[in-house]
Amino acid sequence: MTHRLDAGADTVHWGYFEATLSPRITIRSGETITLSTVSGGADVLPPADWGIPPALLAIHQRFGGPTLPGHICTGPVAVAGAKAGQVLQVDIEAIDLHYDWGYTFVAPLVGALPDDVKAKRLFHSRIDRSRKVATMPWGHEIPLDRPFFGVMAVAPPPEWGRINTLPPRRNGGNLDNKELVAGTRLYLPIYVDGANFSVGDAHGAQGDGEVCITAVETGLIGTFKLTVRDDMSLTWPMAETPTHALTMAFDPDLDTAVQIALRSMIDLVTARAGLDRDEAFALLSLVADVRVTQVVNGNKGIHVMLDKKWLAKLR
């Protein structure tokens, strides 16, 4: 069965995750749901004739702004029968553009160069959905052929309380991983019964690092198949593309994030390829790529990418 939940004043939470947040819809494991998202506070809107979704204005009117600093997230979506300690498998089946515009900004005290920007500047881009390009105000056309959701998360552990959506954490959240496009699969550790999956922070395009703190921020419509896995366990989010396995980690210290993501990939190689840890470590040095996901959201992100051909059992 396929379900749909559109962003609106009654179906989003703005700026926070919380274990006690009630789901907006409940589906069964293995079912598919389409979720539309909106992005942006009143301070980043383009002129009215650019086409501002009524749902976004209704959200502004109801909430005024974020509960905590962060993103407008559609959901949560509960999965019946999901239990804490299991894993939620998120198959990203489709992602479509939802707006005819996007926004990007630079500002003092944020991004990878917090002291280099003297005043906030907001750049609106026109989006041609048929051509899948965003035209920046200075003329560059940015391809939008690999849009993705910056935020995909399950509810956090109850003991965390209410947390803002800005830093990525073990429950997912602001992953900002540009590899998580349509056709990929994300795995998230479940911390509360029902899992309570939310999505937001629609990105038309973003480079690794997201160095100025924004992408082409826009609205997207995503279709997700949500499956509960009781045959695996996770501490950190993990993903698979059609060709690669990805391990992810987040920490204020980039070196620590590298170590966590590498150890997670070593775990995967030893489990699936049958190598010992020293052999797996050596293999990663030869064929894996360590990439910086983003450096601007408090917890910095690292993902390790390994072609899945190296996970075949040799003995």
Side-chain angles (χ1 to χ4, degrees), residues 248-268:
M248 291 178 269
F250 324 105
D251 193 88
D253 182 82
L254 202 60
D255 290 341
T256 300
V258 169
Q259 293 171 349
I260 295 168
L262 280 172
R263 290 181 180 124
S264 294
M265 186 59 81
I266 289 171
D267 290 342
L268 186 63

Side-chain angles (χ1 to χ4, degrees), residues 45-101:
L45 294 182
D49 61 1
W50 283 40
I52 301 170
L56 181 56
L57 297 178
I59 291 166
H60 291 174
Q61 184 175 11
R62 175 170 179 178
F63 296 102
T67 301
L68 295 175
H71 310 87
I72 302 173
C73 298
T74 305
V77 178
V79 182
K83 301 294 184 184
Q86 296 176 329
V87 171
L88 184 66
Q89 175 181 305
V90 181
D91 289 290
I92 307 168
E93 295 189 345
I95 301 178
D96 298 303
L97 298 170
H98 188 32
Y99 284 9
D100 295 321
W101 53 275

Side-chain angles (χ1 to χ4, degrees), residues 81-215:
K83 301 294 184 184
Q86 296 176 329
V87 171
L88 184 66
Q89 175 181 305
V90 181
D91 289 290
I92 307 168
E93 295 189 345
I95 301 178
D96 298 303
L97 298 170
H98 188 32
Y99 284 9
D100 295 321
W101 53 275
Y103 68 91
T104 305
F105 65 78
V106 299
L109 305 179
V110 298
L113 301 173
D115 299 321
D116 286 35
V117 177
K118 305 308 177 187
K120 183 174 180 178
R121 294 184 66 189
L122 177 64
F123 307 107
H124 285 117
S125 50
R126 289 277 196 180
I127 290 177
D128 185 328
R129 286 190 261 178
S130 62
R131 295 177 57 224
K132 295 185 177 180
V133 297
T135 303
M136 303 304 293
W138 54 82
H140 275 134
E141 289 191 344
I142 308 299
L144 305 183
D145 54 347
R146 288 173 56 85
F148 68 98
F149 293 95
V151 172
M152 289 182 284
V154 293
E159 61 268 23
W160 289 7
R162 179 173 287 187
I163 56 174
N164 73 58
T165 65
L166 294 179
R169 300 178 176 92
R170 284 180 284 136
N171 68 311
N174 195 20
L175 302 172
D176 283 339
N177 192 320
K178 72 175 188 177
E179 302 297 331
L180 299 179
V181 297
T184 62
R185 175 178 289 174
L186 174 67
Y187 300 95
L188 296 169
I190 296 174
Y191 294 101
V192 302
D193 291 353
N196 288 358
F197 176 73
S198 297
V199 65
D201 191 27
H203 287 179
Q206 177 211 295
D208 282 335
E210 198 188 23
V211 293
C212 85
I213 209 170
T214 49

Side-chain angles (χ1 to χ4, degrees), residues 202-274:
H203 287 179
Q206 177 211 295
D208 282 335
E210 198 188 23
V211 293
C212 85
I213 209 170
T214 49
V216 175
E217 309 286 340
T218 186
L220 294 173
I221 301 172
T223 299
F224 308 89
K225 181 180 178 181
L226 304 182
T227 306
V228 177
R229 296 287 299 270
D230 59 6
D231 59 337
M232 60 188 297
S233 61
L234 282 181
T235 302
W236 297 90
M238 188 177 73
E240 290 187 52
T241 75
T243 58
H244 286 72
L246 284 77
T247 55
M248 291 178 269
F250 324 105
D251 193 88
D253 182 82
L254 202 60
D255 290 341
T256 300
V258 169
Q259 293 171 349
I260 295 168
L262 280 172
R263 290 181 180 124
S264 294
M265 186 59 81
I266 289 171
D267 290 342
L268 186 63
V269 173
T270 57
R272 290 176 56 173

Side-chain angles (χ1 to χ4, degrees), residues 10-11 13 16 18-26 75-78 196 198:
D10 297 323
T11 59
H13 50 105
Y16 71 98
E18 191 170 24
T20 58
L21 185 61
S22 298
R24 278 27 178 190
I25 189 173
T26 299
V77 178
N196 288 358
S198 297

